Amino acid sequence: MGRLKVIISYDGTLFSGYQVQPGERTVQAEIERVLAIMHKEEKVKVTASGRTDARVHATGQTLHFDTPLAIPADKYRKALNVQLPRDIRVMSVEEVEHDFHARYSVTGKRYRYIWSCEPIQNPFRRHYTVETNGVKPDVVAMQKAAQAIIGTHDFSCFCASNTSVQDKVRTVTSLQFEWHGEELHMVIEGSGFLYNMVRIIAGTLWEVGIDRRTIENIALVVASEDRDKAGKTAPPQGLYLEKVFY
Amino acid sequence: MGRLKVIISYDGTLFSGYQVQPGERTVQAEIERVLAIMHKEEKVKVTASGRTDARVHATGQTLHFDTPLAIPADKYRKALNVQLPRDIRVMSVEEVEHDFHARYSVTGKRYRYIWSCEPIQNPFRRHYTVETNGVKPDVVAMQKAAQAIIGTHDFSCFCASNTSVQDKVRTVTSLQFEWHGEELHMVIEGSGFLYNMVRIIAGTLWEVGIDRRTIENIALVVASEDRDKAGKTAPPQGLYLEKVFY
């Protein structure tokens, strides 16, 4: 029995999120379905670094599972891709030690959030960015405001209220804005993220960018530990889980 | 009654092509549906530069129609976009003379064909490129072979056999290959194109690129005026109608 670490990329548009839900099309269910075929209908339990919500994308979601099949890693990757639907692709398969755990061994994650600021919405990007109807925010202000988020804080203000997690202290190690043509990217790295944390940060810093909230306000929001003081949760289709660090 | 020239962009993935077909979702039907709403259920006839097939995209399809509504051009554009589905966007609306005709006034067209040569298929590009399973063709050979296509020829060899068009002489004014990262673009301009012409040219030059056909063979294919001598019709999702010249 070997343990495999698997990095996958998926277009979240047609999924009800990563995690199995009865009656819904999910990324996990598709992978477990293909693994069951490869293992003669034996169920293989797959563990991911964490969930992603409906319509959220991933370019570097990471999984592990145990398999008795003695297939070389790269052939394993190809065998999975042959059977998986085209909106999920296995980017790499690697044999790892038995103490590797896709969720518990995580030391950090990187997410990307993309706004499309083209004056006319681009039909080819509608599922992959959040459109701003041509509004171009003040990115210098957003970047300044982000300084109040970088560091170790209780991030209750940026956590969806319907979570059971007790300890809401996390460390954001970097938060950068980048223009790629007319698309604005927010790239955020940290030790871990609370439920909806990246989308609430994106929605709150966006309000700074369009002058609905001051730069100074962000430190107060963080200190408040109050979800209601932060901005709206930005839509899911702008979000990408880009890399999981171990 | 004013005549409007309208440039639209559409993601062809979820359309059964441009032209109205009973019971099918088409670009023309969506536009005529919205115009009927704007004109109090009066039917407005829309004329396009030409059809595009199911799954084929456009970034510069051009239309005309006559309208009694005295709405400034840019407001007209916005009014259409508010009601159109998100996979069609109106890029521009312009008032033109009554003798402008979206189809008969065409002096040329530019198409783009895109192959994705990434070693692992990119799930985000699956509807927007044709994947080559990591094969990188010999583009120098493809570009040399293209020289036999540029110019004025009877292009029967590159025309789907089920067409009723009699005169198959057309002029290809340019045919260029360009790498954009790991995506290969073929950009072709000409006076006009026969049914499936760009896709058959793409499929035939691809065979040169992967050494299944010689550079010299292309001149023979053109001279043969025989569809069976050319290569396969390349898949629709790689094709974009990029610009119509008047």
Side-chain angles (χ1 to χ4, degrees), chain B residues 117-150:
Chain B
C117 306
E118 295 186 67
I120 300 169
Q121 301 173 350
N122 180 338
F124 301 98
R125 298 291 287 161
R126 69 196 191 284
H127 297 309
Y128 307 114
T129 62
V130 169
E131 280 148 354
T132 69
N133 294 310
V135 173
K136 288 207 165 66
D138 178 350
V139 175
V140 173
M142 293 167 85
Q143 188 68 61
K144 279 186 189 158
Q147 300 314 307
I149 296 170
I150 296 169

Side-chain angles (χ1 to χ4, degrees), chain B residues 21 23 28-29 38 60 101-102 104 116 123 131 160 172 201 234:
Chain B
Q21 289 176 62
Q28 185 186 358
M38 287 173 69
H101 191 285
Y104 299 136
S116 171
E131 280 148 354
V172 170
I201 290 175

Side-chain angles (χ1 to χ4, degrees), chain A residues 8 13 15 23 38 53 65 68 72 78 93 103 152 160 189 193 224:
Chain A
I8 61 173
T13 308
F15 291 106
M38 287 174 68
D53 278 341
F65 58 84
K78 287 178 185 161
V93 172
R103 183 162 166 222
T152 303
E189 270 184 41
F193 291 87
S224 76

